[in-house]
Amino acid sequence: MTTQAMPETEPPCALLAALSGDGPLGQVGEGLRALVAVWFGGADAAASAEFRSDAAAEPPAGNVGGTDTTTADTMTDDQLVAAVRSIARLERSIESLKLQCTSAIARRSTGDSRHEGLAGRHGYPTPERFIAATTGASTADAHKLVAVAAATTMPESFGTTPRGPRYAHVAAAIAAGSLSVQVAHLITGFLDSVRFTTDPEGLERTEQVLLDRAEAVSVDGLHRYFKLLRAQLDRNGVQAREEELHAQRSLRIWEDHRGLIHLRGCFDPASAAPIKLAVETLVSADLHAARDAKSRFAARAAEAALRSDVAVRPAAAGAVDRALVDHRTIEQMAADALADIARLAAAASDAPPALASASVVVRIDHDDLMNAIGFATIDDFGQPISAATARAIAAASGVIPMVCASDGEVLDLGRRRRLFTKAQRIALAERDGGCAHPDCARPVAHTQAHHIRWWDAHDGPSDLANGVLLCAFHHWAIHHDGWQILNRDGRLWFVPPAHLDPEQRPRPGRRATRLELRAA
C-alpha cells in the first residue's frame, strides 16, 4: 500500500507582506495587529504596536497581559475599551475593502439587459440585490454600500477629462480607516443634496468641515448639524423649507381596544416650541421636587432630633419618606403635564370663547356616586371610569357631572353651586401656597380645589375648612390610593394608606410645614 505524498504548503509570505504593506490589505493588517496586541498584551501593548508596520502578527512574547484563553470577561477595563476601539478600526478597514469590491461589482453589472453584467449572470436584477444576497446584509445596507462606492471610488469625468472620485476627502478618510460606511453615507448624501446649489470650492470646504465634525459628534449630532449647514449654504431656501414643515403638521387622537387614548402628531419647530417648553418645564419642576424632597426630609429629621434631644441616626441624612416618593416615569410625568396644560387652558379667564364654553360631561348613576362603587362614562370616550375618578375630575372647572337614576332619568345636571368661589380659591391659595400635598412643588395655577369631605357622598360643605388645593396628580392619588386629609386648627395633615405606611403617620401639608419651620 502506497501513500501519496502531500504537496508542501508554501509559507504565507505573500499574505504577511500584503498585511504589512501599503496596499489594500495594509490597513486591515494594522487593525489586526492592534487587536492582537490588545488581546494578548493589554491596552499598553496595543498603544505601542498600533500603526507599526514592523509589529509581529503573533502575540507578544510571554503573552504579557493575556493568554490564549483571554476573553472579554477576563480583560481589564482599559483593555476592554482598547479592544472595542481596535475592533471598530478593523471593521472600518474591512469596509474600505468591501467598498472597493462593491464598486467593481457595480461597474461590471451594467448592461443593456438585466441579465447582462455580473449581477445579472448570477440571477439578480441589480448589484444591490446581488450584494445583499452575497453578504447577508439587508437591501438597505447594500444600497448604502453602492451609493458610498459610487461617491468615493468610482472616478467621474466631464466630457473627455477623467477626474477622481466625487468626494475625494471622504474617500481618503475611508481608506485611512477613520470613517465608517454609515457616516460616509450620511455625509455624501448631504453633499449630493446641496451639490448643484453650491460652488465647487464651497462644496469641498463643506466636505472637509463635515469630516472634522464627524470626529466630534455622533450620528444624531450630524443630522442636527446638517440642518444648520443647509441653512448657511442656502439662506434663500430657509423659508420654503419652513413652510413645507408647517404644511406637514398633524395631530391625531384615538382610543384603542384597551381604552387607552393615543396622541400622535408632528409639528413644525415654531408650533412645537411652546408645547415642548410647557411640558418640559412642568416635568423639570416635578424632578426638582423629587430631588429636593430628600434634603427636606433630612432637615425635618434633624429638627425633630433637636427638639427631642435625640441624636439623628446616620441613615436619616440620606433617607427619604417612602410614602411621599414619586414613582412616575419621565414619560408619565410628561403625560400628566400635557393634561395639566389642557386643564389650565380650559380654565383660563382669557381662554378662547369656543374653549371657554366647552365642557366635559361625566355621566354617573346616583347610587354609584353616593357609594363610590361602580363606574361613570365621559362623553366621546368608550372606556368607563371608576366612580372615584368621576369624583376627582368633577371638581375641575369645565366638567359637568350628570347624575342619573337607575332608569337613566337625569336627576341633576351641573350643580355649579358646589364649586368653590373665586374668593375661596384665593383664600385657599394663601393658606396652601400651591398643591398642599407634602413635598409637591406645583404652584397655585396648577391646582384644583378639592372637598376634603366629598360634597355629595359626605355632605361636605364648600367652605375653607373643607377645602384644599391639589395638583391633578395628587388629586388622583387622594381618590385612588386611599390617602386621607385632616384639618386640625387650620393645619392640613395627610395620612397615607397602610400599604405606603403601615403606621399611617400623618404628614404635614406643604404650607403648614413651611410655616412650622419658619417659626422654629
Side-chain angles (χ1 to χ4, degrees), residues 58-127:
E58 59 187 66
N63 292 342
V64 178
T67 68
D68 56 356
T69 59
T70 298
T71 65
D73 289 333
T74 63
M75 292 179 178
T76 65
D77 291 349
D78 292 341
Q79 190 179 3
L80 185 61
V81 172
V84 171
R85 289 174 176 168
S86 298
I87 292 171
R89 178 174 178 80
L90 182 58
E91 287 177 336
R92 291 193 295 268
S93 300
I94 294 174
E95 282 184 338
S96 178
L97 287 180
K98 189 186 295 185
L99 280 176
Q100 295 183 39
C101 296
T102 298
S103 177
I105 291 174
R107 289 196 304 270
R108 299 181 189 185
S109 297
T110 58
D112 296 332
S113 170
R114 60 179 292 179
H115 300 293
E116 296 180 0
L118 180 59
R121 290 196 300 272
H122 284 78
Y124 295 94
T126 64

Side-chain angles (χ1 to χ4, degrees), residues 329-394:
T329 65
I330 300 295
E331 290 77 12
Q332 289 172 334
M333 289 181 179
D336 291 345
L338 185 59
D340 279 345
I341 293 167
R343 278 187 286 263
L344 288 171
S349 59
D350 56 349
L355 184 59
S357 61
S359 295
V360 175
V361 177
V362 179
R363 304 170 185 270
I364 187 169
D365 181 83
H366 179 266
D367 293 338
D368 291 344
L369 177 66
M370 298 300 295
N371 299 324
I373 299 176
F375 67 92
T377 59
I378 304 176
D379 277 7
D380 299 326
F381 293 99
Q383 177 66 28
I385 61 174
S386 66
T389 297
R391 287 181 168 186
I393 66 175

Side-chain angles (χ1 to χ4, degrees), residues 291-304 312-313 315-324 439 505 507 513 517:
R291 183 194 65 187
D292 295 341
K294 187 174 182 179
S295 60
R296 285 197 296 268
F297 181 72
R300 294 172 191 169
E303 181 188 8
V312 181
R313 292 177 297 176
V320 295
D321 191 340
R322 297 187 179 277
L324 304 178
D439 289 320
R505 292 177 293 107
R507 272 71 169 175
T513 299
L517 291 177

Side-chain angles (χ1 to χ4, degrees), residues 394-399 415-421 424 451 462:
S397 59
V399 177
R415 296 172 300 150
R416 292 286 186 177
R417 67 182 183 275
R418 66 171 290 279
L419 299 178
F420 288 93
T421 66
Q424 287 176 316
H451 287 78
S462 297

Side-chain angles (χ1 to χ4, degrees), residues 422-507:
K422 182 177 180 180
Q424 287 176 316
R425 279 189 56 89
I426 293 175
L428 290 174
E430 177 63 21
R431 184 196 70 189
D432 298 340
C435 177
H437 197 277
D439 289 320
C440 183
R442 289 295 179 91
V444 172
H446 295 222
T447 59
Q448 305 163 357
H450 166 71
H451 287 78
I452 296 176
R453 292 171 54 232
W454 182 250
W455 184 79
D456 220 347
H458 306 137
D459 295 325
S462 297
D463 55 31
L464 296 181
N466 193 47
V468 59
L469 293 184
L470 296 172
C471 69
F473 171 65
H474 287 117
H475 197 178
W476 184 94
I478 293 297
H479 282 270
H480 291 80
D481 283 351
W483 283 80
Q484 299 179 31
I485 304 176
L486 305 176
N487 189 332
R488 296 291 183 263
D489 299 325
R491 295 177 56 185
L492 298 177
W493 297 85
F494 289 74
V495 182
H499 70 272
L500 292 179
D501 180 6
E503 298 179 2
Q504 292 191 288
R505 292 177 293 107
R507 272 71 169 175

